[in-house]
Amino acid sequence: MQDAVESLVARICGREATDALPRTLTFLAAHQVMSLRLSDAQLMRRLGWDRLTPQRIDQLLDLIAITLRAQLAALTPSTP
């Protein structure tokens, strides 16, 4: 799975899949999702939530997607 995502990120960034940039970006995105799961109790206390609901999970994933899109946009070669 990670290889497939790295290949996709590499294409978006105009890099080779074996380049450090797509590998690192893929790693960081995966760990954003994993860190939410590992520290969900702390996050819920911080947000004042008593539990995770499907809507709240979607909200958190939307936020991760925003940051990932921004990272990809910053790394995407501009077209003339």
Side-chain angles (χ1 to χ4, degrees):
M1 173 93 161
Q2 188 169 346
D3 289 340
V5 175
E6 285 173 1
S7 293
L8 178 62
V9 171
R11 269 195 268 155
I12 291 169
C13 296
R15 305 278 184 115
E16 294 294 320
T18 56
D19 189 65
L21 187 136
R23 285 187 168 175
T24 303
L25 188 55
T26 301
F27 176 86
L28 292 172
H31 283 285
Q32 286 181 45
V33 173
M34 287 178 15
S35 68
L36 284 177
R37 181 60 191 118
L38 293 173
S39 60
D40 61 345
Q42 181 180 5
L43 177 64
M44 288 191 304
R45 277 194 306 275
R46 183 78 179 134
L47 295 173
W49 296 349
D50 60 344
R51 62 188 171 91
L52 287 175
T53 64
Q55 295 81 13
R56 288 175 175 168
I57 291 169
D58 286 345
Q59 181 182 1
L60 294 172
L61 292 175
D62 286 345
L63 290 171
I64 291 172
I66 289 168
T67 62
L68 184 56
R69 277 192 218 96
Q71 289 169 325
L72 288 170
L75 299 170
T76 302
S78 58
T79 55

